[in-house]
């Protein structure tokens, strides 16, 4: 699969809150090759500190040449990205990793928690393109507070999926966790679940899916230096007793392969 | 070593490591370039002076528990745990591709005992596509209570001899910087027959997560690399280049051609690009380009002119 | 050491170095804080746990030729050459002011022979305003062919004994990181009577000016300090804290309270702020404030709770 | 002498060329205490690399609360400063060092070469305030090219000094060095010379002044870590065989004390 290192130009900055930001970059090669569930490595500056690139899911491609990332400020790198302004340039490397394997013939349930919402938009869009009708398909978005979910509802609404929301503090949608929303919905048989979010949430989802014999794909994280298989730093222990490398073998895995950090 | 004038390329970037002549002084540092194929989409592998692959052990190694890496100020710590496919699968699965690249392939080897180093060397001798062997002596010698081979002149010399006896290709010994006097180790391996020394391997470091009150690495300690260690690496290369007569290969925080040229001024015949490959997958190729431009701009007959050319009044 | 509950300050930041109790664990690192007076306009000196002054030798030293410093990635190299006014002028000109500060004054001493260390100690014993002595053993022993005292356990122990015999105040031995196994040196000086060890001193490094093809420092090599060396310092503090029973004082790249707390988790009883003083003259005071806020926020009975509290399953 | 560490706000950015830039900062404490010839240490960023502050002469104070620095982009730190925009904040530390000792009773000759022009504006302003009439006083400004000198002429013209200029390439003022301009002018007896510029220029000026028995003050540079006497890194060998520390004993010295790096 092709990978590109591009000088990307910021074409749009959307601040959903002080912490939650969406950036739109012009990087044609990456946009054209990107698949739902893949990620990019972004260099936060041009200097030597912070040294390493930071991994971010591809939130969506909004044209043949634009990609979006939706991120939260958690440290130095994301702080720097949060200060980016329109027309500034930055080095982006990707698309990387193996994305979601879309089951076209079965109903889909997309579950995104917190920043795990990020890759779900691209996935929903692609599914809606592959299927003529998504009325049987469900999207569940969860977050701690309103600002983590509400700003994205409109984008998710456009594909004809049923969309449900939940927040930990009840400030938007159902008061509680996405898992509760998931359990409360009567989903069709042979539903395929696509999930991304905090480890405890993905762990819980994988248990629920196992019970109902739903195949469940999860997008997981790990610390990364290179994002492309060179450093072997992104390993995660798997059920078979070996290590998987998130950047190469993932970031999307079958939930059954995973050992959760909880 | 004779460089034939009539067939000299322009610019002349050739350097020699023992009997091996490289088209240019730029190699990729072991463990930072995978098995090279990972980079084929991102750069022109054929422009490299040599490719050094991830360290190979006798049998496959799973590596350490995660987290294996953490970023530090202008650097990073890694505790990969020498994960690799083992010498047999390496030859079967990787050498085919590497052998066709027409770039000298240098295999970095590691072992926990002299015997392991011997056996790996023998197995590698089978494959004639290998241009040289680089010995990682920063590993613990389990038969000697886990003291790293690289911290003791006698052990370092023993490993060098063990490999050298069985190798048909030049042997490079990669030195550990975690020693009181690196020139002592360098001289010991030179006397033991090393065709060249490369330095530095990572400095041993540690990082702590204050919130969790835990080490950032599952392995607690790890190897520090990147721009942060460049001053220590430059100093050691400068010292070793004065202490031995075999070629010295400079490693440590090299990100640009300027960095590489500084190492050569300090006495390095060649250099390795490591951590920089993670930040910029094209880094090693850009270092080649930059050195080439420098040699042309300075109108040097060859890049070899600047090896050890540092002026210290 | 007993800390009296009834007279415990809130938050309780007291720590002890031998018989010396500090109001908080934050000191200024020798050579990075001048003779303290330089900072009086810029911060409240009285908030420091202790002040360590520029290294003092028997006779005044002019120091090295410039350039003496150069910036590196997240760090700096210095080759000041231990410039100082000498022990006599230090006592006459500096101790008067320092003595009135009501902050423990720790004098960092350096010598080129055991005898020099002895004489400095005797001269310092005269002034009772001195709370402790910190021995810089990273200096070359000219009587032993210039090998640094700090790189040899026997020499390090000898210096410690020489000073300890003549000192009425606690003796801290400041360890050099440029050794194969720093725990060996740490144990040697502990056995020789050191009341505490402080580490790390600077890593030996070098920088080159490519344009001029010359070293950046007139002295060619210098000492690397700053955030770049923090991972190496943390690792060594962690190792030494497990190897000795005397208090360990952590030094290396400490810029914030978080950095200081990480060193304490690794086993440091106290810390020293060095290069950070140059970037932010208030750095040491801000570290005190930050530690105080942390102890309050975490509701710790005292800062001593976190010494060595790192969880390594 | 008082020293302050202030969060200074950029109130004005003047780009005389891609390389030559003048910044105006709001830092009241420093502005109020500043003397001609003193300098400030500016932190170029908030991160750890570049680590050290950079020293810059105080170009002038333009009110009780504003100071200016006039600098040239030569490396990483100045590159970062060159990108500063209005209203951004940055840490400035100063005022530092010993400035010019102004001889009020004797005619003054100010000689600035290249970036050595920077401290001369503040000095000229102060002299003009101390003396009622500066008709006998001379300012000589030199640079490599027009853009290094011309943009500052107007500022220097306002104090009633005679102002002469020279450029190496003749693109502005006299074709040649400031030393030639100095020699060609017939200066009054007992003239005091204040000089800042490249070492060869200051070396040449000190020779000319010695010949004519003019006291000559020079503002010199050295690499600096702290700027306030803590690191002892800024030493310069002096004629008496010892070292002077530029940040404490200088940056202004009697030319006779100096040993020049040429
Ligand atoms: C494949 C992949 C896709 C990702 N997609 C997104 C996304 O779409 N949106 C988003 O906001 N974030 C995403 N992340 C997480 C993101 O990479 C981290 O938040 C980011 O690297 C933090 O960088 P920083 O410099 O701001 O924080 P740092 O200063 O590096 O660290 C600050 C805190 O963040 C934690 N942290 C650092 N790196 C990671 C990481 N890789 N994963 C989890 N926590 C981390 C650290 O432990 C620390 O507590 C993704 C991570 C991976 C591996
Ligand atoms: C007291 C004093 C006052 C100064 N006033 C001014 C001023 O008003 N305007 C101005 O433009 N510059 C001034 N300088 C010089 C200025 O400090 C340097 O140009 C600046 O530090 C370079 O930083 P940098 O990161 O851009 O360059 P670096 O990346 O640090 O270095 C780039 C190049 O600049 C050279 N350099 C670095 N520091 C200095 C230095 N201190 N002096 C000379 N060359 C240096 C280096 O040798 C290197 O070749 C002054 C210096 C001093 C000591
Ligand atoms: C992730 C990682 C893995 C490494 N693996 C090896 C290895 O297997 N064998 C080896 O000799 N050196 C290994 N090294 C050390 C590098 O080859 C190099 O010596 C060191 O990183 C310093 O160079 P740098 O600062 O350019 O990275 C590794 C370094 C890193 C960062
Ligand atoms: C400019 C400078 C001068 C120093 N002088 C001394 C000294 O005289 N004696 C000493 O024991 N250490 C000296 N040191 C070492 C520091 O005390 C400290 O151990 C080292 O800088 C690491 O800490 P840091 O990274 O916080 O600076 C000096 C360091 C610097 C940067
Ligand atoms: S991040 Fe480097 S191998 Fe996965
Ligand atoms: S710059 Fe630190 S003493 Fe002058």
């Amino acid at each position: 699969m092709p990978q590109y290192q591009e000088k990307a130009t910021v074409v749009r900055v959307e601040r959903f809150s002080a912490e939650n930001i969406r950036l739109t970059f012009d990087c044609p090669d990456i946009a054209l090759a990107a698949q739902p569930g893949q990620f990019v490595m972004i260099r936060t500056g041009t200097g030597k500190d912070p040294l390493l690139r930071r991994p971010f899911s591809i939130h969506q491609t909004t044209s043949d040449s634009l990609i979006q990332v939706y991120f939260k400020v958690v440290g130095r790198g994301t702080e720097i990205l949060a200060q980016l302004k329109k027309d500034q340039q930055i080095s982006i490397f990707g698309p990387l990793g193996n994305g979601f394997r879309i089951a076209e013939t079965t109903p889909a349930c997309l579950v995104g928690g917190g920043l795990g919402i990020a890759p779900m938009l691209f996935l929903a869009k692609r599914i809606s393109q592959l299927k003529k009708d998504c009325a049987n398909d469900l999207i569940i978005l969860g977050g701690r507070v309103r600002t983590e979910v509400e700003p994205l509802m409109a984008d998710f609404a456009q594909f004809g999926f049923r969309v449900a929301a939940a927040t930990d503090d009840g400030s938007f949608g159902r008061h509680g966790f996405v898992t509760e929303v998931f359990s409360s919905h009567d989903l069709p048989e042979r539903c395929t679940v696509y999930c991304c979010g905090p480890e405890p949430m993905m762990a819980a989802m994988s248990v629920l899916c196992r019970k109902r014999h739903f195949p469940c794909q999860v997008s997981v994280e790990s610390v990364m230096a290179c994002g492309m298989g060179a450093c072997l730093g992104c390993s995660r222990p798997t059920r078979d007793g070996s290590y998987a490398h998130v950047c190469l073998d993932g970031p999307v895995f079958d939930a059954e392969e995973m050992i959760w950090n909880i | 070593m004779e460089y034939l004038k009539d067939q000299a390329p322009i610019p002349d970037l050739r350097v020699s490591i023992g009997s091996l002549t490289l088209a240019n002084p730029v190699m990729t540092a072991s463990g930072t370039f995978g098995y090279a194929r990972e980079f084929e989409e991102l750069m022109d592998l054929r422009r490299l002076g040599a490719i050094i692959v991830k360290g190979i052990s006798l049998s496959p190694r799973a590596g350490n528990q995660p987290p294996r890496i953490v970023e530090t100020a202008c650097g990073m710590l890694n505790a990969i745990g020498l994960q690799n496919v083992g010498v047999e699968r390496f030859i079967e699965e990787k050498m085919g591709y590497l052998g066709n690249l027409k770039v000298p392939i240098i295999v970095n080897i590691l072992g926990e005992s002299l015997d392991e180093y011997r056996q790996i060397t023998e197995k590698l001798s089978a494959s004639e596509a290998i241009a040289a062997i680089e010995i990682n002596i920063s590993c613990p010698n389990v038969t000697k209570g886990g003291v790293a081979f690289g911290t003791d002149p006698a052990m370092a010399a023993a490993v060098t001899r063990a490999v050298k006896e069985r190798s048909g290709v030049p042997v490079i010994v990669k030195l550990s910087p975690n020693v009181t006097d690196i020139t002592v180790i360098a001289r010991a391996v030179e006397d033991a027959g090393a065709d060249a020394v490369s330095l530095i391997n990572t400095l041993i470091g540690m990082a702590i997560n204050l919130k969790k009150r835990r080490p950032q690495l599952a392995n607690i300690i790890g190897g520090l690399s990147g721009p942060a260690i460049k001053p220590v690496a430059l100093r050691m290369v400068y010292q070793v280049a004065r202490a031995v007569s075999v070629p010295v290969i400079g490693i440590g925080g090299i990100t640009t051609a300027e960095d590489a040229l500084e190492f050569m001024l300090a006495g390095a015949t060649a250099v390795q690009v490591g951590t920089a490959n993670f930040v910029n997958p094209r880094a090693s190729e850009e270092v080649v380009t930059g050195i080439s431009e420098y040699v042309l701009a300075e109108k040097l007959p060859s890049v070899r002119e600047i090896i050890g050319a540092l002026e210290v009044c």
Side-chain angles (χ1 to χ4, degrees), chain A, chain B:
Chain A
M1 26 146 214
Q3 298 171 345
Y4 308 94
Q5 198 178 177
E6 288 190 79
K7 271 244 147 307
T9 307
V10 179
V11 297
R12 189 164 172 217
V13 179
E14 297 167 273
R15 300 184 194 284
F16 298 144
S17 77
E19 287 189 323
N20 295 67
I21 295 160
R22 181 160 70 181
L23 296 174
T24 307
F25 295 102
D26 184 4
C27 43
D29 295 338
I30 296 172
L32 212 58
Q35 298 301 324
Q38 286 189 299
F39 68 99
V40 291
M41 295 289 284
I42 300 185
R43 193 159 174 197
T44 59
T46 54
K48 292 177 178 150
D49 191 71
L51 182 66
L52 300 174
R53 290 170 180 266
R54 300 294 193 256
F56 295 94
S57 303
I58 299 169
H59 180 52
Q60 68 171 335
T61 61
T62 58
S63 81
D64 288 357
S65 66
L66 304 181
I67 73 164
Q68 290 186 333
V69 297
Y70 168 56
F71 68 97
K72 180 174 180 176
V73 176
V74 298
R76 290 186 309 149
T78 43
E79 260 160 32
I80 296 169
L81 291 180
Q83 267 131 52
L84 276 179
K85 299 192 178 24
K86 192 171 178 314
D87 299 329
Q88 280 187 284
Q89 287 205 320
I90 193 159
S91 171
I92 302 187
F93 171 41
L96 302 163
N98 293 313
F100 293 102
R101 297 170 306 287
I102 299 174
E104 299 183 34
T105 56
T106 57
C109 177
L110 284 57
V111 184
L115 268 302
I117 292 175
M120 292 303 159
L121 189 60
F122 195 7
L123 177 62
K125 182 185 262 179
R126 180 61 53 88
I127 290 175
S128 70
Q129 290 161 348
L130 295 170
K131 299 182 175 183
K132 21 209 80 35
D133 171 20
C134 297
N136 291 336
D137 302 326
L138 174 66
I139 297 172
I140 306 174
L141 305 180
R144 286 181 301 101
V145 295
R146 170 183 285 271
T147 51
E148 285 185 14
V149 183
E150 189 183 25
L152 295 155
M153 289 301 283
D155 291 315
F156 278 94
Q158 61 189 312
F159 308 118
F161 287 65
R162 289 179 295 158
V163 183
T167 52
D168 301 1
D169 67 352
S171 55
F172 185 75
R174 180 194 178 111
H175 189 304
F177 297 133
V178 289
T179 44
E180 301 165 31
V181 181
F182 180 80
S183 306
S184 65
H185 272 74
D186 41 52
L187 294 147
E189 288 305 301
R190 307 180 34 262
C191 177
T192 303
V193 177
Y194 309 88
C195 178
C196 184
E199 298 255 332
M201 167 209 149
M202 290 193 282
M205 282 300 303
S206 63
V207 173
L208 295 174
C209 291
R210 193 179 308 130
K211 284 217 196 77
R212 300 170 66 166
H213 307 292
F214 289 159
C216 177
Q217 297 176 31
V218 290
S219 175
V220 303
E221 292 189 357
S222 82
V223 190
M224 293 188 172
C226 72
M228 42 82 83
C231 75
L232 304 182
C234 62
S235 57
R236 255 187 98 107
T238 50
R239 290 233 176 274
D240 63 14
S242 73
Y243 289 117
H245 289 286
V246 175
C247 76
L248 279 185
D249 311 321
V252 177
F253 294 89
D254 287 330
E256 291 306 312
E257 294 175 35
M258 291 292 101
I259 296 170
W260 299 106
N261 304 323
I262 43 177
Chain B
M1 162 76 193
E2 267 301 309
Y3 294 90
L4 299 171
K5 289 265 168 305
D6 52 2
Q7 61 181 49
I10 297 177
D12 183 357
L13 303 183
R14 295 169 302 167
V15 297
S16 297
I17 306 299
S19 60
L20 175 67
T21 298
L22 309 178
N24 68 66
V26 183
M27 317 177 182
T28 55
S30 179
T32 67
F33 207 63
Y35 297 107
R37 191 168 200 160
E38 296 84 351
F39 289 79
E40 66 182 353
E41 296 265 349
L42 296 159
M43 61 175 284
D44 180 358
L45 293 169
R46 289 174 177 69
R47 290 198 58 207
L48 292 170
I51 290 169
I52 305 185
V53 292
K54 174 73 185 157
I56 302 297
S57 53
L58 189 55
S59 32
R61 280 165 165 252
N64 291 333
Q65 283 278 338
R68 290 179 173 188
I69 51 178
V70 62
E71 190 178 59
T72 64
C74 285
M76 66 177 278
L77 287 165
N78 89 83
I80 304 304
L82 302 167
Q83 173 185 347
N84 76 95
V85 295
V87 65
E88 259 135 34
R89 278 184 55 202
F90 168 72
I91 294 174
E92 290 159 23
E93 301 171 14
K94 312 290 182 185
M95 273 314 295
Y97 173 83
L98 292 168
N100 291 332
L101 280 178
K102 310 258 173 306
V103 176
I105 302 303
I106 300 175
V107 180
N108 179 279
I109 66 171
L110 58 108
E112 290 179 336
S113 67
L114 286 181
D115 190 54
E116 240 178 272
Y117 280 105
R118 278 196 204 92
Q119 292 186 50
I120 303 168
T121 311
E122 278 161 3
K123 290 202 159 51
L124 288 174
S125 314
S127 151
E128 62 293 306
I130 293 167
I133 289 175
E134 179 180 59
I135 316 175
N136 177 357
I137 58 172
S138 298
C139 326
N141 180 348
V142 292
T143 62
K144 285 274 194 313
V147 187
F149 287 96
T151 58
D152 175 70
M155 286 200 294
V159 180
T160 307
R161 251 181 259 103
V163 173
K164 186 65 184 168
E165 281 163 5
R166 284 158 185 76
S167 171
V169 294
V171 172
I172 302 161
V173 180
K174 184 166 181 176
L175 306 178
S176 164
N178 304 292
V179 295
T180 304
D181 184 352
I182 196 166
T183 63
V184 172
I185 313 289
R187 272 191 296 264
V189 299
E190 177 182 38
D191 296 344
D195 298 290
V197 292
S198 57
L199 62 151
I200 60 176
N201 210 318
T202 53
L203 287 164
I204 304 170
M206 178 175 178
I208 290 173
N209 185 320
L210 179 60
K211 270 205 214 71
K212 299 180 185 159
R213 294 195 181 179
R214 299 188 143 283
Q216 293 277 21
L217 300 174
N219 190 55
I220 304 176
I221 61 170
L224 182 63
S225 65
I229 69 169
K230 185 186 152 199
V232 175
L234 258 183
R235 183 261 300 183
M236 289 184 167
V237 164
Y238 175 77
Q239 292 176 323
V240 169
R242 270 159 187 65
V244 300
S245 48
V246 293
V248 174
I249 302 167
I251 322 168
I254 296 174
T255 308
T256 64
E258 289 66 33
D259 296 328
L261 291 162
E262 287 170 25
F263 274 87
M264 294 187 78
L265 283 175
T269 296
V271 297
Q272 296 179 19
V273 177
T275 299
N277 295 313
F278 303 152
V279 182
N280 171 12
R282 263 195 302 267
S284 54
E285 185 179 1
E286 288 173 6
V287 171
V288 175
T289 305
I291 292 176
S292 165
E293 286 165 356
Y294 178 85
V295 170
L296 288 173
E298 299 284 312
K299 302 196 173 43
L300 301 177
S302 89
V303 73
R304 301 181 294 280
E305 298 290 314
I306 66 161
I307 298 171
L310 188 73
E311 291 166 29
V312 291
C313 54

